[in-house]
């Protein structure tokens, strides 16, 4: 593939997500649509998917390509559209305890929807690392510290915290490893250009 002039602005994030998601799988094998696929098949499907986004009518000009590869390529594009950013991260929902009477142990509160992050299409992005940091007089019950971490799940998760004193309590959240939203084109004057994903992104 030469150049990127025909890739629309809307599909730029889709291409970046495809490269982010399947470049390692093209070397070692992986899954497409939940189906285990070998590295050669993935590489062919990704190449076909990227070309179909770049060149109008590309599919009609590839009658010799096996239908199995075309089907995998369609699945790659569909999953790329589901993963494509920019991502949106929900604010944690805090449930704060009422102040404990003097002489009694402080109550616990909770933070809900930790790591609830979605792609531009609204699809949940799961399996990514999140870090939640408390500012104020409280510590997470699981760690006994101001910081806790986990992996994103659909809708986020809940964690409890223990209040250690008086004052305002806030929780900040960061999710790392989100799909790239840009890509690079390494042009070659004779052979095919090489596409690579841009840097991973974060949401906070």
């Amino acid at each position: 593939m030469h150049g990127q002039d025909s890739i629309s602005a809307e599909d730029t994030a889709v291409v970046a997500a495809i490269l982010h998601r399947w470049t390692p799988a093209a070397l070692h094998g992986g899954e497409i649509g939940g189906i285990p696929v070998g590295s050669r098949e993935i590489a062919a499907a990704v190449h076909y998917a990227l070309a179909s986004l770049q060149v109008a009518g590309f599919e009609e000009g590839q009658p010799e390509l096996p239908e199995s590869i075309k089907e995998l390529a369609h699945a790659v594009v569909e999953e790329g559209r589901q993963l494509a950013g920019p991502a949106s991260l929900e604010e944690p929902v805090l449930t704060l305890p009422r102040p404990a009477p003097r002489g009694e142990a402080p109550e616990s509160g909770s933070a809900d929807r930790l790591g609830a992050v979605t792609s531009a299409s609204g699809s949940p992005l799961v399996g990514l690392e999140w870090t939640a940091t408390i500012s104020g007089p409280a510590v997470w019950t699981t760690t006994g510290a101001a910081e806790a971490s986990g992996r994103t799940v659909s809708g986020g998760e809940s964690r409890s915290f223990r209040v250690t004193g008086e004052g305002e309590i806030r929780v900040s959240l960061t999710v790392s490893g989100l799909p790239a939203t840009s890509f690079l084109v390494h042009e070659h004057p004779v052979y095919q250009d090489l596409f690579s994903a841009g840097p991973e992104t974060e949401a906070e």
Side-chain angles (χ1 to χ4, degrees), residues 51-101:
S52 68
L53 291 171
Q54 182 189 26
V55 181
F58 176 81
E59 186 169 346
E60 289 76 10
Q62 304 295 316
E64 75 286 353
L65 198 67
E67 285 300 318
S68 60
I69 298 298
K70 291 183 180 181
E71 291 176 3
L72 290 174
H74 294 160
V76 164
V77 172
E78 178 59 28
E79 200 163 336
R81 294 194 187 283
Q82 292 178 3
L83 294 173
S88 297
L89 178 62
E90 291 190 32
E91 291 282 343
V93 178
L94 299 186
T95 301
L96 299 173
R98 283 180 280 182

Side-chain angles (χ1 to χ4, degrees), residues 108-132:
S108 295
S110 65
D112 300 321
R113 303 194 69 77
L114 293 174
V117 62
T118 56
S119 66
S121 69
S123 300
L125 299 175
V126 301
L128 305 174
E129 184 175 1
W130 60 260
T131 301

Side-chain angles (χ1 to χ4, degrees), residues 3-201:
Q4 65 180 91
D5 294 341
S6 59
I7 295 179
S8 67
E10 179 181 356
D11 283 339
T12 295
V14 178
V15 170
I18 288 172
L19 292 167
H20 175 95
R21 168 68 176 83
W22 283 286
T23 296
L27 298 175
H28 307 293
E31 292 186 355
I32 296 178
I35 301 173
V37 182
S39 59
R40 290 185 179 182
E41 289 80 6
I42 290 179
V46 169
H47 174 85
Y48 183 91
L50 296 179
S52 68
L53 291 171
Q54 182 189 26
V55 181
F58 176 81
E59 186 169 346
E60 289 76 10
Q62 304 295 316
E64 75 286 353
L65 198 67
E67 285 300 318
S68 60
I69 298 298
K70 291 183 180 181
E71 291 176 3
L72 290 174
H74 294 160
V76 164
V77 172
E78 178 59 28
E79 200 163 336
R81 294 194 187 283
Q82 292 178 3
L83 294 173
S88 297
L89 178 62
E90 291 190 32
E91 291 282 343
V93 178
L94 299 186
T95 301
L96 299 173
R98 283 180 280 182
R102 183 180 297 274
E104 293 187 13
E107 297 181 15
S108 295
S110 65
D112 300 321
R113 303 194 69 77
L114 293 174
V117 62
T118 56
S119 66
S121 69
S123 300
L125 299 175
V126 301
L128 305 174
E129 184 175 1
W130 60 260
T131 301
T133 304
I134 292 179
S135 59
V139 293
W140 295 108
T141 304
T142 53
T143 65
E147 189 172 286
S149 60
R151 293 281 176 178
T152 58
V153 297
S154 179
E157 64 174 285
S158 299
R159 293 284 180 95
S160 62
F161 56 82
R162 179 170 52 85
V163 178
T164 58
E166 296 183 359
E168 184 178 18
I169 297 172
R170 295 185 178 184
V171 173
S172 60
L173 186 67
T174 301
V175 175
S176 59
L178 293 166
T181 55
S182 62
F183 64 92
L184 304 174
V185 179
H186 310 274
E187 296 185 351
H188 194 282
V190 177
Y191 301 107
Q192 291 181 334
D193 298 339
L194 176 66
F195 285 24
S196 64
E200 293 182 343
T201 56

